[in-house]
Amino acid sequence: MGTYYLSTPIYYVNDLPHIGHIYTTLVADTLARYRRMAGDDVFFLTGTDEHGQNIERAAARQGIRPIELADRVVSRYHDLWRRFDITHQDFVRTTEPRHRRGVEEMVRRIAAAGDLYVAPHEGWYCSSCETFYTEKELGQPGNLCPTHDRATEWKSEENVFFRLSKYERPLLEWIDSGAPAIQPESRRNEVRAFVEQGLRDLSVSRAALEWGIPFPGRPGQTVYVWLDALSNYVSALGFGAPAGAGGDLYERYWERGDVRLHLIGKDIIRHHCVYWPAFLMSAGVPLPTMIWAHGWWLRDQKKMSKSVGNVVRPDHLVERFGPDALRYFLLREMVFGQDASFSDEAFVERYNSDLANDLGNTASRLVTLSRQAFGGRTPPVPCDDNPLIALAAEVVAEYRQAMDGLAFQGALRALWRLLAEANQYLVAREPWKTIRSEGASDALSRVLWNGLESVRIVATGLLPFMPTLAPRVLAGIGVAEARGSLAALAWGGLPTGRELPALEPLFPRIDKEKYMSEIPTPPPAPTPAPEAAPPAGAVPQPGAAAAAAAPANVANVIDIQQFGAVELKVGQVLLCEAVPKSEKLLRMMVDVGEGAPRQLVAGIAKAYRPEQLTGTQVVIVANLKAAKLMGLESNGMVLAATQADGQPVLLRPETAVAPGTRVK
């Protein structure tokens, strides 16, 4: 048995939780439950980030103190986690004294390493993500934040700086050493590319900010919210506590722990995969063993965001169908690591197909037949020789491999493969006819027992995903105790002759049209505030005047109808590899929302390595006639700009969108 320390990001308290927040916590809870089934010593942490300018401003708008706003939102998180039966061991708040001690100890150690100094600081600042950006990083008119698509503001003040540049080489060695510490590979490539561009020292304090932790030894300075927030992963375990006053958890799960896993969204990857490990290196603290950055939940092809007005609150779904149905949908619908689109229609379809039809109807049919044939009890004669046994072993191995690799969608898909085969097994043997022709025969018993045993294995595998409904499925097929261990996935666990009460419908089918007409209409997106004039000292954005000018005369002008004939789509690169005997060509398999991926061949190998492109998005001409390059058929063309030196630069959406989205 090893230790398994698992954390979510700590959630910002400037707004109530939505699906985007809930998803990470549901993933963490599912993983924590599975690791406990595997016998690990699990410590699962979540919490809230309560300091910073955003909270200060949000509270001021409501006429309350920041701590009052934090308390209000935190109570909502506690209610929500109880409703979803989240099994976290601890909930950390950055306003707690134990957290402040941990931050102060982190600062003390970094200062002792000689990695802090005071200097003037200026740049474009996004208050939403509390991050400074260079003009190169913003790279668009209006100096919009690349994550929040909101105007940044120019700031200039004297701050405490951290020598981040000192850790450029150690960070690259950590990124590429041994087992990959950053997952998935596309995010690891993104972090590596960012570090390889060169790191600038990082401001780790803010002036004139009251709502935060005072910077030790620096009057008038407050600890930068990201140095503050990131320290929660160790402060919650007792880091910085006096000897004998609660640091044993830190020693057990972090200092000497086997697995230290952070689950995060991809929008905070730089803070967790560059700043946080550099802070830890400076402080002489072990690094996380893995940081896994998942994708975004999209609504109308945009990331869910309060500022955009497209968030999905869980309330109406949970009230109508219970938390487990939503848990299943979110974990089945998203490939962990990629983006996914949320829609009520997709939820209904997944619920009706997977839960009501596949699982609910199969269990109900088997229970009804068994009760009818065997006096209200489970079949008396088991079976140890049938085609489902080998398949079940294969499915369980696939399920465990997927869960170990955080491929939750793959684990559920494996379970449903067993469910589908069990249904085919029943259709082929027609036990409903055998009851009429043979009665309660041994042959009938074996067929029904095999079907129920398949459902038992599926329901056992669902325990981490559906902690309320999976035990009810098990109880409904005669399994008195839902054994929370991986050993229970072995074939042969269904008891014989056990009392089998009538099974109530676990997943009542949804009338799709009726439901879609009843769901709450989301409020309209807020109207953006007019842009303020640039603050004094702001640097004009290069090229802004040129962008507003009329376009220059160009040859080969086309009209809108001609342009409309060109079908441009966003594609997700699923696989990329070099073409043998070619220095220029790469072969890619690209998902463009058509079901099966397309093969494209592109002459960009001198500018891009295959591993840089896997998992990223590109723009393609989707209706171009197929062509053959080096004997490989290319069904479309990847778009790229050509620099003066001839090097290609791929065109990509600045925010991830669903594969197949049209570019207009």
Side-chain angles (χ1 to χ4, degrees):
M1 182 177 72
T3 62
Y4 202 100
Y5 179 61
L6 173 65
S7 67
T8 72
I10 51 174
Y11 303 113
Y12 222 23
V13 295
N14 64 332
D15 190 30
L16 296 174
H18 56 68
I19 292 293
H21 304 121
I22 292 167
Y23 175 72
T24 316
T25 310
L26 295 185
V27 167
D29 184 63
T30 300
L31 184 57
R33 290 173 181 274
Y34 172 75
R35 295 315 316 179
R36 294 184 192 112
M37 286 178 68
D40 288 331
D41 174 12
V42 175
F43 193 96
F44 168 19
L45 174 72
T46 188
T48 44
D49 179 5
E50 303 179 19
H51 288 141
Q53 189 178 69
N54 272 342
I55 311 302
E56 196 172 55
R57 289 177 175 177
R61 284 194 297 269
Q62 298 182 39
I64 58 177
R65 294 179 300 136
I67 191 62
E68 292 178 272
L69 174 62
D71 287 344
R72 181 189 303 167
V73 177
V74 167
S75 68
R76 174 71 172 124
Y77 274 105
H78 285 312
D79 291 343
L80 201 58
W81 296 163
R82 279 192 293 269
R83 193 162 193 184
F84 278 94
D85 196 18
I86 303 299
T87 58
H88 53 292
Q89 273 85 359
D90 200 354
F91 187 102
V92 64
R93 298 181 61 176
T94 57
T95 49
E96 294 179 274
R98 61 169 174 163
H99 176 69
R100 177 168 175 169
R101 285 196 303 267
V103 172
E104 290 172 344
E105 175 63 12
M106 187 68 67
V107 170
R108 186 192 68 76
R109 292 193 184 196
I110 293 173
D115 287 338
L116 299 179
Y117 64 92
V118 177
H121 187 206
E122 60 183 19
W124 294 103
Y125 182 72
C126 172
S127 60
S128 293
C129 54
E130 312 244 8
T131 299
F132 277 88
Y133 291 97
T134 64
E135 287 184 0
K136 181 179 178 181
E137 289 170 332
L138 296 176
Q140 54 183 317
N143 295 318
L144 301 180
C145 170
T147 298
H148 294 92
D149 199 32
R150 300 178 67 177
T152 55
E153 56 184 308
W154 184 263
K155 275 200 168 189
S156 180
E157 59 188 39
E158 188 170 78
N159 293 151
V160 180
F161 277 76
F162 169 68
R163 299 186 193 279
L164 182 63
S165 57
K166 172 181 171 181
Y167 293 93
E168 184 175 314
R169 179 52 48 190
L171 282 169
L172 287 172
E173 291 173 356
W174 171 67
I175 291 168
D176 291 322
S177 65
I182 302 171
Q183 292 284 7
E185 184 180 12
S186 58
R187 304 289 168 232
R188 185 165 68 255
N189 293 338
E190 178 185 332
V191 173
R192 184 192 297 108
F194 177 78
V195 177
E196 285 176 341
Q197 290 174 3
L199 296 177
R200 298 177 298 120
D201 289 351
L202 177 70
S203 168
V204 291
S205 77
R206 295 291 180 266
L209 177 64
E210 295 182 6
W211 185 239
I213 297 174
F215 203 100
R218 302 288 179 181
Q221 296 283 328
T222 299
V223 177
Y224 170 48
V225 69
W226 279 103
L227 174 54
D228 171 351
L230 291 164
S231 298
N232 90 89
Y233 300 122
V234 292
S235 70
L237 295 173
F239 178 79
D248 54 326
L249 292 177
Y250 170 74
E251 290 292 328
R252 178 177 175 181
Y253 291 105
W254 193 276
E255 196 75 32
R256 297 195 306 270
D258 298 307
V259 175
R260 299 179 292 275
L261 171 62
H262 296 325
L263 299 179
I264 63 169
K266 67 179 183 179
D267 51 333
I268 50 176
I269 192 169
R270 181 193 306 180
H271 308 85
H272 282 79
C273 298
V274 179
Y275 303 163
W276 176 230
F279 294 154
L280 294 175
M281 288 176 182
S282 175
V285 175
L287 273 61
T289 56
M290 185 177 291
I291 302 172
W292 196 295
H294 63 74
W296 288 336
W297 277 100
L298 307 176
R299 182 84 162 185
D300 302 323
Q301 307 307 324
K302 294 180 180 179
K303 180 195 175 189
M304 289 186 193
S305 165
K306 179 186 72 170
S307 59
V308 175
N310 66 344
V311 297
V312 177
R313 309 289 183 193
D315 305 76
H316 77 278
L317 290 168
V318 173
E319 287 170 8
R320 183 78 175 268
F321 309 107
D324 276 19
L326 182 58
R327 286 178 69 121
Y328 176 83
F329 173 78
L330 294 176
L331 287 152
R332 178 63 180 84
E333 199 73 7
M334 177 183 272
V335 176
F336 194 61
Q338 299 180 17
D339 292 342
S341 292
F342 183 94
S343 75
D344 292 281
E345 188 172 12
F347 173 84
V348 172
E349 289 174 353
R350 179 71 68 187
Y351 177 97
N352 281 341
S353 171
D354 293 13
L355 299 180
N357 189 40
D358 295 344
L359 181 57
N361 284 353
T362 301
S364 178
R365 179 194 301 173
L366 286 163
V367 168
T368 300
L369 291 171
S370 297
R371 281 172 50 80
Q372 180 182 340
F374 303 111
R377 296 183 175 274
T378 55
V381 180
C383 183
D384 58 5
D385 182 17
N386 66 82
L388 292 176
I389 296 176
L391 177 65
E394 184 181 314
V395 162
V396 167
E398 186 179 333
Y399 166 86
R400 292 187 61 172
Q401 182 179 15
M403 292 297 286
D404 290 341
L406 278 65
F408 305 103
Q409 187 190 58
L412 291 170
R413 204 162 44 225
L415 295 177
W416 254 249
R417 188 156 70 93
L418 177 57
L419 203 56
E421 288 298 322
N423 264 310
Q424 289 302 311
Y425 172 87
L426 294 172
V427 168
R429 286 154 182 80
E430 300 180 313
W432 43 89
K433 291 185 179 179
T434 307
I435 289 178
R436 292 196 297 269
S437 61
E438 299 181 11
S441 65
D442 287 355
L444 175 65
S445 177
R446 284 190 287 268
V447 169
L448 294 179
W449 189 93
N450 289 335
L452 286 167
E453 174 63 357
S454 298
V455 172
R456 186 195 67 81
I457 290 173
V458 170
T460 301
L462 285 174
L463 286 170
F465 295 89
M466 306 177 76
T468 300
L469 289 177
R472 286 178 59 189
V473 173
L474 290 167
I477 62 173
V479 180
E481 294 182 9
R483 289 178 55 201
S485 73
L486 295 183
L489 290 168
W491 185 270
L494 182 76
T496 57
R498 182 71 59 84
E499 185 177 350
L500 202 59
L503 185 61
E504 296 181 2
L506 297 173
F507 308 102
R509 191 171 182 82
I510 304 171
D511 183 325
K512 182 177 175 180
E513 289 187 11
K514 184 174 183 292
Y515 174 73
M516 295 300 292
S517 69
E518 293 174 352
I519 58 175
T521 303
T527 303
E531 282 193 25
V539 179
Q541 179 72 18
N553 290 331
V554 294
N556 301 320
V557 173
I558 63 174
D559 60 29
I560 191 65
Q561 285 77 22
Q562 290 171 299
F563 174 74
V566 181
E567 194 171 293
L568 304 179
K569 288 186 176 181
V570 174
Q572 186 90 19
V573 181
L574 306 178
L575 176 146
C576 184
E577 61 186 14
V579 174
K581 300 181 182 179
S582 174
E583 295 181 355
K584 293 176 57 179
L585 299 180
L586 293 178
R587 184 182 81 91
M588 293 179 279
M589 298 302 294
V590 182
D591 176 8
V592 289
E594 300 169 333
R598 289 192 187 200
Q599 175 174 278
L600 278 79
V601 181
I604 55 175
K606 292 188 176 181
Y608 296 93
R609 299 190 304 274
E611 62 270 19
Q612 287 179 285
L613 299 181
T614 301
T616 64
Q617 293 195 320
V618 293
V619 177
I620 74 164
V621 182
N623 61 339
L624 192 66
K625 185 178 179 180
K628 280 200 172 182
L629 300 170
M630 295 287 288
L632 297 172
E633 186 172 279
S634 182
N635 292 292
M637 181 175 70
V638 178
L639 294 186
T642 303
Q643 300 186 95
D645 61 0
Q647 287 288 85
V649 178
L650 287 172
L651 302 186
R652 309 168 188 255
E654 67 176 44
T655 299
V657 298
T661 299
R662 287 289 300 270
V663 178
K664 301 177 182 179

